[in-house]
Amino acid sequence: MKQITSGFSLSALTQATGLALRAPKTALTSTLIAAAFVSAPALAALTGGIKGKVIAEQTDQSMAGVTVIATSNVMPKPRRAVTRADGSYDLPQLKPGTYELTFTNKDGASQRMTVQVLLEQTSKVDVALSMTGSNTEVITVTGSRLYRQGNSSLTNSLGESAIEGVPIGQDYRDLLKLVPGVELSENSILGPSAGGSGVDNSYGFDGVNVSLPMFGNLASEPSTHDIEYVTMDRGGAKAVDFNRSGGFAINTVSKSGTDEFRGGVEYKVQPKSLVASPVGEESYELDKSWLTASLGGPLIEDTLYFYTSYYRPEEERSNKGTAYGEVKNYKSVRDEYFGKLTWAPTDDLLFNISQRMSEKTLEGDSIGQFEADSVSVGGQTDQDIFTVDGSWLVGSATTLSFQYSKFELESGSRPDTELSVQPSLSAQLDINNLEQMGYFSVPTPLDADSGYTAEQIAAFNSAANTLIEQYGYSENGVKKGGGGVGAYYRYDSQDFYRDSFELALDHEFSWGDSYHTLHFGGQWSEGEEVLTRLSNGWGRIEYVGGLDESLEQGSSTPVIYRAFVEQMSLVDNQGDTVPSIISSTETLNFEINDTIEIGDWTYNIGVMFSQDTYYGQGLRAKSGTVSGYELAPGNKYQMYQTDWADMVQPRLGVTWHYAGEDSVFANFAMYNPDTSSLARAASWDRNTRGEQEIEFDSNGNIIYAEPRGGSSGKAFEKGLKPRRINELTVGTTKYIGSDLVVRAHVRHRRGMHFWEDMPNNARLTDYSGLDVPGIPADIAEQGLFIDNLDAIREEIGGSSYVIAEVPGGETKYWEASLEAEYMGDNTYVNASYVWSHYYGNFDQDNTTATNDANNFVGSSFYGDGRGRYPWDYRYGTLAGDKPHLFKVYGYYTTPWDANVGAYFVFQSGKPWEKWHGTPYGYASDTSRYAEPAGSRRSASHWQLDLNYTQEFTVYNDVAMQFRADIFNVFDRQTGYNNNPYFDDENFAEPRQYYSPRRVQLSVKVEF
């Protein structure tokens, strides 16, 4: 695991906080600010706001000098504002929650109202206040409870009631089903497509970016039990909160302590007996349960609140016995702890600090039908999310805010049986105890049709039969070969780290007839992957029996045993081992945005500037060389850096409020997505981290060892333009009373400048004699990507593949959407229909044989020879295309304290196409298109999810809650991900199915 050295530490913050609590207010303030800003250098702000105007009830004229006070149980201290000359007021940097607003004029007349503030949204409250008198009027709701302004023209925000009232599930990934216009995806790793690639979505957890560095997919561990608010941005972004998403951006904020002590315990189960049988299986075999406990309240009245929780999901399965007998059961256990402090030392200062720690262990995860129990594989995942954020209201019109976050995900598979033997090129293989040396593949005897001589067959079978008697499995009293014994062969550790720091300054001012909201922001972020692969003992061991000769040049020594050992496990003569592969990406973002209000018009003018730097391993800069480098195994080097001028991302928008809050809007935005795997995929040290093929004689002595071939470092084409998404949005919003809002829009996106590793001579590929179109003439005439690649390889080695811009690579997306959101006193409904078309010739979601995985972005099958180039039938409908998507969800609270929730979705099937290598002269069909992309489509899918929650008051403030969730009520297990391999006997058959009907039951006690 990585040892991290940082200028910021939790202990240092604790000490600073302790000193601050014992100091006067001025010292307290400066101490915390100092602790935040001297830290070693997030996704988005964790607050919302309220704004509006106050007019005189009698004359409808604006009222200046009215005091506005906002109080909430989630805010330790109230927030105040005074209306300006035009009667307007702003209350920024409010924690999401329900607020009571008190408006008081100079004569003492006052009025109270309640309003809900959602994450990253500004709620609008306009008030007609009496000019005289001292009566106080209390109004529960004012104006449109749905009117909110976010950081995107296509934004949706939900609070705890909607999150808990709708049947969604326990994992963060389940929240994605609530995003209007985004498909219901059964993927466990790759994100859903939303007008862009699934790897270009942005996921925030308390403002911390929890997507995997360099892969872009959502880390699997975050859950929903602590999430109180969620906001979803699909397009039309401002230059606020550093949004570079080529898909959609989602952010959440966790629950916080309040001014009252509150807690609860919940236990939820999903027994296998309440899950329908999956297609192709006799029955469902997994038992699941979830235990959740939480407690929050004040530590210092009106100053410091706390919140803490514990979460324990468990999964168990009785594994079937194998040919070797009984095996251990599968078990997954996770313990997650969360703690959060909310501190308001003064009315103008607000800070949050939180730490989430999760530990997950697996055992019995994978055991083959012909493997012994000892070869099972398990795993361990540790996740830590730390964040501290704060805001300072500098006067009535200026806000300074910051956030520091640290994300750590240390994960990997590990053998359930760990061996003590240490492989070394000076050691010997103990052939009498092969089951203690690694994973041993038990041989099977050769027959006369094997192609070997009778003498070879006899010699092989003589020793093979002895091994079968010792290590084989029994069938009808006879020992058989072909199984596996010993222990799982490898430790596979893949650790991810991200440190991020951002600072923002917001200032509001009037200039003539216009009102401006200026925003300045800066963000630094570093993502890192540490990859370690170690062999368990000698790794994979096989019996060769003299059928092969040594790989050593000039040798004719017969090989009896062969082992495949990870190079990182081998100790050399000096006792050293090959270090881990460390790859990192550093990102800098700066943004400026001005929101200008002039009468009924609002203009948004903003721009974001970015720079990405990729760091690989294995080279060192050296002047006077062709490449600019020299070989330096283990050394970190700057691989590639984008130009600031190439990553200028304008954000321009206009909104006309033609009648009250009803409006039409238009927005243009450019995004440079930051996800790229090239820091590792193109790293020079990548080839030195593969396996060693080690040969042994009949006594276990090493004959020869040779590294197995693998991918090596790649040079970059000069003048690369970073991947870019251009977006245009036009829409309208109509408010129907205070409960219903309808929004319609049309959106277009175009993606370009895609990077991929391709043969340097890809544009000169020979298609002669093949009955396929071949290379377009305008592309063929461009020649090599890098003219002097041969000279570079002669100097420092590397691959014949290079990182280049995909010739003519592009994606296009059209979307027409109609959405409606209704919020009544006891009811919430969100309904949306989206027609869309996603097409082009570069499909990041369909670049490998298994797409639901952490695949390289920028290094895949795409572009790897004939059949995989952009001109090889790649232009067509892309995998994420969903022409029709209808989604409705919501809840209703009954008069008898029950909640009924529902979720319904209908969506088009998944596009696919035929893969066939023969037209291109290859035997392999993998990712070789034999017809235009997306020529076929799987069946459309619909499903209904329901839940029912009943609450009873047990004693005073103690309540008990019973809940049942039914997912996929009608058990619609629609098939998708059809087999594209034309030469496969299961061609066109679905390889996956939507999850079966399942029932979850829970009981909860709250106090």
Side-chain angles (χ1 to χ4, degrees), residues 668-687:
F668 174 76
M670 289 175 53
Y671 309 86
N672 290 121
D674 59 359
T675 301
S676 174
S677 304
L678 296 178
R680 174 153 73 94
S683 179
W684 233 256
D685 263 357
R686 185 179 170 198
N687 191 42

Side-chain angles (χ1 to χ4, degrees), residues 39 58 94 262 323 489 524 722 774 851 985:
S39 62
Q58 293 86 349
L94 300 177
R262 295 185 179 274
Y489 62 90
W524 170 90
N851 292 298
E985 62 180 358

Side-chain angles (χ1 to χ4, degrees), residues 99-129:
Y99 284 78
E100 182 180 80
L101 299 182
T102 302
F103 299 84
T104 306
N105 69 11
K106 298 176 181 178
D107 296 323
S110 64
Q111 185 168 291
R112 294 179 189 161
M113 300 181 177
T114 59
V115 62
Q116 187 179 34
V117 174
L118 296 180
L119 177 62
E120 296 180 30
Q121 301 290 295
T122 299
S123 299
K124 188 172 183 179
V125 180
D126 293 334
V127 179
L129 186 64

Side-chain angles (χ1 to χ4, degrees), residues 404-417:
Y404 167 80
S405 67
K406 180 183 288 291
F407 168 78
E408 300 179 6
L409 179 67
E410 300 176 336
S411 63
S413 60
R414 68 178 189 190
D416 286 331
T417 302

Side-chain angles (χ1 to χ4, degrees), residues 86 277 336 892 909 979:
D86 63 352
S277 298
E336 181 177 307
Y892 170 65
N979 185 344

Side-chain angles (χ1 to χ4, degrees), residues 702-742:
I702 294 177
I703 302 171
Y704 184 65
E706 180 179 82
R708 302 189 75 200
S711 183
S712 55
K714 300 178 179 70
F716 284 69
E717 180 186 13
K718 291 184 178 180
L720 286 173
K721 299 293 185 182
R723 185 161 41 118
R724 190 174 79 207
I725 307 292
N726 291 347
E727 175 189 73
L728 178 64
T729 306
V730 178
T732 181
T733 302
K734 174 70 176 178
Y735 288 84
I736 304 173
S738 63
D739 299 332
L740 177 64
V741 60
V742 178

Side-chain angles (χ1 to χ4, degrees), residues 175-253:
L175 289 173
L176 307 185
K177 66 192 286 187
L178 300 180
V179 186
V182 175
E183 66 174 315
L184 172 67
S185 173
E186 291 278 293
N187 285 343
S188 60
I189 297 176
L190 179 65
S193 174
S197 168
V199 301
D200 285 329
N201 300 326
S202 180
Y203 308 102
F205 196 92
D206 263 348
V208 181
N209 186 349
V210 292
S211 59
L212 293 183
M214 290 175 281
F215 291 92
N217 293 313
L218 173 64
S220 60
E221 295 304 310
S223 54
T224 61
H225 69 283
D226 280 331
I227 292 178
E228 190 164 24
Y229 292 92
V230 59
T231 185
M232 302 159 280
D233 290 325
R234 286 175 291 148
K238 298 180 180 179
V240 177
D241 293 337
F242 313 103
N243 187 351
R244 292 173 56 182
S245 171
F248 63 87
I250 183 170
N251 192 25
T252 64
V253 66

